[in-house]
Amino acid sequence: MVTPARVFAPGWVLVESDRIFDVGHGVPPRPADVDLPSATIVPGYVDAHVHGGGGASYDTGDPEDAATVARAHLAHGTTTIMASLVTDGPKSLERSVRELAELVDEGLLAGLHLEGPWLSPRHVGAHDPLLLSEPRPEDVEALIEAAGGHLRMVTLAPELPGGLDAVRRLTAAGVVAAIGHTDATYDDARAALDAGASVGTHLFNAMRGLHHREPGPVAALLEHPDAYVELIADGVHLHPAVLRLAATRKPHLAVLVTDAMAAAAAGDGDYALGPMAVHVRDGVARLADSGAIAGSTLTMAAAVKFAVRTAGLPIEEVVRAATASPAAMLGLDRVGALRPGFSADLVVLDEDLEVTRVLHRGHWVSRG
Ligand SMILES: [Zn+2]
Ligand SMILES: [Zn+2]
């Protein structure tokens, strides 16, 4: 059992209704209802950056679609899920935010993450370049207001005009400001971190690269003592050596994210990512027109397995990066660890690190 602060081998967990009552090492204090002799038990995964799955996307703002996404990822161990929205027109973004905010109230979603529209046209990735804009104070205010307290994170390019003011306004409103899709220099990124930014969105991807004479945002984020860095562990976005480099530099601040789009837990085919058409072939999502990588088809279970088995990272650190660290990054209470008083969310893994069972708020999930 990886809590993840400690490893109990063997270990036990006592669940009462939707909460963890106690955890411990060795023989359980009373006979177990469920005995899992060769399993590894980890906290339910926390996915901080995800756009879709199971064939559906959050971008529609449709509650049925959002439920499909959450259910698809739940079957792969994600018990706490954010809703990330790609760049869209101001009105449709505001509408989606309003509709999805209700699902945060209902407990389906942990919060909302806006990825855009305040992104650099030089690192646009899979976002529609025609819909990018500068963060004008009234637009920032309108989206904070539309989310009704449920906007948890905004990814923006801090070097844009008004970027640092937006970072200050967002953090003052309790929203995590994340540096991403950015052409920021090292100094720009330092200024954003000084202004309150605390996350690097999918580090290395869609940002100015790491160069020994122009270290850029990557070095500013990696050397910062408190900044979290998101990493996409699918073997497509990052070479395993780069994943290792970043994860070992920040053992308590590395966060695995899926950045999954609709094809995750669904299969190859033609999909949409916001207003953009995406082709998925052999599990790799690319924009239909430019061929740019357009999110991943990861589940958190696959990311954890890749980070341990292919990148060779220690399981305790990988589990922390998929559970306690994203919870801390987002300021989410009582999820992301096997601790008394925390939500009874756990994942049972077999020897191949495949998910065999998921407990969500005290109930075993049917994974049919
Ligand atoms: Zn992105
Ligand atoms: Zn994304």
Side-chain angles (χ1 to χ4, degrees), residues 49-51 84 86 113 115 127 181 201-202 259 295:
H49 184 163
V50 47
H51 300 272
S84 301
V86 295
H113 164 218
E115 192 178 25
H127 296 258
H181 289 268
T201 296
H202 45 55
D259 198 10

Coordinates of all heavy atoms in Angstrom, one line a residue, residues 49-51 84 86 113 115 127 181 201-202 259 295, ligand 2:
H49 N -5.4 18.0 -15.4 CA -5.4 18.6 -16.7 C -5.9 17.6 -17.7 O -5.2 16.7 -18.1 CB -4.0 19.1 -17.1 CG -3.9 19.8 -18.4 ND1 -2.8 20.6 -18.7 CD2 -4.8 19.9 -19.5 CE1 -3.0 21.1 -19.9 NE2 -4.2 20.7 -20.4
V50 N -7.2 17.7 -18.0 CA -7.8 16.7 -18.9 C -9.0 17.4 -19.6 O -9.8 18.1 -19.0 CB -8.3 15.5 -18.0 CG1 -9.0 15.9 -16.8 CG2 -9.1 14.5 -18.8
H51 N -9.1 17.1 -20.9 CA -10.1 17.7 -21.8 C -11.3 16.7 -22.1 O -12.3 17.2 -22.5 CB -9.5 18.2 -23.1 CG -8.4 19.2 -22.9 ND1 -8.7 20.5 -22.8 CD2 -7.1 19.1 -22.7 CE1 -7.6 21.2 -22.6 NE2 -6.6 20.3 -22.5
S84 N -10.7 20.7 -18.1 CA -9.9 21.6 -18.8 C -10.6 22.0 -20.1 O -11.0 21.2 -20.9 CB -8.5 21.1 -19.1 OG -7.8 20.7 -18.0
V86 N -10.2 24.1 -23.8 CA -9.3 24.8 -24.7 C -9.8 26.1 -25.1 O -11.0 26.5 -24.8 CB -9.0 23.9 -25.9 CG1 -8.3 22.6 -25.5 CG2 -10.2 23.6 -26.7
H113 N -10.5 24.3 -15.3 CA -9.1 24.8 -15.7 C -9.3 25.4 -17.1 O -9.7 24.7 -18.0 CB -8.2 23.6 -15.8 CG -6.9 23.9 -16.5 ND1 -6.3 22.9 -17.3 CD2 -6.1 25.0 -16.7 CE1 -5.2 23.4 -17.9 NE2 -5.1 24.7 -17.5
E115 N -7.5 26.6 -20.3 CA -6.2 26.6 -21.0 C -6.5 27.5 -22.2 O -7.0 27.1 -23.3 CB -5.9 25.2 -21.4 CG -4.4 25.1 -21.9 CD -4.1 23.7 -22.3 OE1 -5.0 22.8 -22.6 OE2 -2.9 23.4 -22.3
H127 N -4.5 24.8 -30.1 CA -5.5 25.8 -29.9 C -5.7 26.6 -31.2 O -4.8 26.7 -32.0 CB -5.1 26.7 -28.8 CG -5.0 26.1 -27.5 ND1 -6.0 26.2 -26.5 CD2 -4.1 25.2 -27.0 CE1 -5.6 25.4 -25.5 NE2 -4.5 24.8 -25.7
H181 N 1.9 27.3 -22.8 CA 1.7 27.8 -24.2 C 2.3 29.2 -24.3 O 1.7 30.2 -24.7 CB 0.2 27.8 -24.6 CG -0.3 26.4 -24.8 ND1 -0.3 25.8 -26.0 CD2 -0.8 25.5 -23.9 CE1 -0.8 24.6 -25.9 NE2 -1.1 24.4 -24.6
T201 N 2.5 24.5 -17.0 CA 1.6 23.6 -17.7 C 2.4 22.7 -18.7 O 3.1 23.3 -19.5 CB 0.5 24.4 -18.4 OG1 -0.2 25.1 -17.5 CG2 -0.4 23.5 -19.3
H202 N 2.1 21.4 -18.7 CA 2.8 20.4 -19.5 C 4.2 20.9 -19.9 O 4.5 21.3 -21.0 CB 2.1 19.9 -20.7 CG 1.3 20.9 -21.6 ND1 1.9 21.9 -22.2 CD2 0.0 20.9 -22.0 CE1 1.0 22.6 -22.9 NE2 -0.2 22.0 -22.8
D259 N -3.7 15.3 -19.9 CA -4.0 16.2 -21.0 C -4.8 15.4 -22.0 O -4.7 15.7 -23.2 CB -2.8 16.8 -21.6 CG -3.1 18.1 -22.4 OD1 -4.2 18.6 -22.4 OD2 -2.2 18.5 -23.2
G295 N -3.2 17.1 -27.6 CA -3.5 16.4 -26.4 C -3.1 14.9 -26.5 O -2.4 14.5 -27.4
Ligands
ZN2 ZN -4.5 20.7 -22.4

